[in-house]
Amino acid sequence: PARSGGEAVAPAVCLDPQAAGGAVRETLHPVTLARQAAAQHQRRQPRGDAGPDAPLHTLQLPIVEAYRAALPEGAPVRILASRTAVVVDPEDRTRALELAETGLRQLARTLLGFDPDGLSIDELARLTDTHIGTVDEVVASLAVDQTLAAVSDVSFQVHSVAATHELTLRSLQLLADEVAPRLGFATGPDAAADLHRAHRPLAAAVPAQEGAR
């Protein structure tokens, strides 16, 4: 899903809460200030004085602000937020949570560094920023994620949930047809075309940048 497009060449940044190394993975040519902010806000470290319950946007919005401040004047903003989401029909909710439990407990222990023993699957989903449930539940959890209002594009994946092929396909359909429109995300052929046009000049700039190094 996309929020905006653009034609001018600009740095791009990808915010990924499950990327190895922290909350930000920079793409194309890096913005030094954003990199420095990311180093101070890595998700695998404790979330400051607020603790593990602190919302993900408290980590990522400073990165977004640093990126915007470092952009050349007039350059379009290109920020991709990556989120884990598994959207299911009500009758599949229990099964989806069962499939999620092993992966989320491992994620909590290894990447996030806290002991998940004694936590319910719903608590694990919240603490690992995993949006799983029915359409209404996922819309509600994504709606409070303040990062999503500050980015140009959003991508979704199912890891670390071991969703079946059928559940993954259904989740993608529900995300596109029901969740995205309710959150104001553009989907479909027109949005895909806008995204393609926005990234063509960015991709073309990469060989020139590499040759100048």
Side-chain angles (χ1 to χ4, degrees):
R3 285 193 179 278
S4 63
E7 293 296 335
V9 174
V13 65
C14 173
L15 300 170
D16 185 350
Q18 295 188 8
V24 61
R25 182 177 70 252
E26 290 169 290
T27 60
L28 306 177
H29 56 295
V31 178
T32 302
L33 191 56
R35 186 192 301 119
Q36 293 171 344
Q40 298 170 3
H41 295 88
Q42 288 185 349
R43 185 181 174 210
R44 79 167 50 192
Q45 297 179 2
R47 298 191 180 186
D49 295 335
D53 283 330
L56 182 60
H57 60 250
T58 63
L59 298 176
Q60 294 191 333
L61 286 178
I63 300 170
V64 171
E65 292 166 3
Y67 164 79
R68 288 175 179 271
L71 275 178
E73 184 177 356
V77 174
R78 302 302 308 171
I79 306 173
L80 170 68
S82 175
R83 294 293 183 266
T84 294
V86 180
V87 192
V88 295
D89 296 302
E91 61 269 25
D92 292 323
R93 185 181 188 276
T94 298
R95 176 58 175 157
L97 292 175
E98 290 172 348
L99 292 170
E101 186 161 4
T102 298
L104 295 188
R105 291 194 185 279
Q106 182 178 7
L107 175 66
R109 287 192 183 95
T110 57
L111 181 62
L112 304 185
F114 67 84
D115 185 0
D117 292 345
L119 295 176
S120 70
I121 183 59
D122 290 302
E123 291 173 317
L124 275 173
R126 178 176 56 82
L127 292 172
T128 58
D129 302 293
T130 301
H131 304 274
I132 183 169
T134 63
V135 169
D136 287 342
E137 289 173 322
V138 173
V139 167
S141 64
L142 288 172
V144 299
D145 186 342
Q146 295 179 24
T147 299
L148 301 187
V151 302
S152 57
D153 307 291
V154 183
S155 69
F156 293 102
Q157 67 278 327
V158 298
H159 67 274
S160 300
V161 178
T164 64
H165 181 66
E166 290 76 17
L167 282 180
T168 300
L169 291 179
R170 180 58 174 158
S171 178
L172 291 173
Q173 182 180 23
L174 291 171
L175 278 167
D177 293 346
E178 300 192 38
V179 174
R182 287 172 60 176
L183 293 170
F185 300 146
T187 62
D190 290 342
D194 288 343
L195 188 63
H196 179 68
R197 285 193 296 270
H199 283 281
R200 283 185 64 187
L202 295 172
V206 171
Q209 294 162 12
E210 291 178 346
R213 291 176 184 171

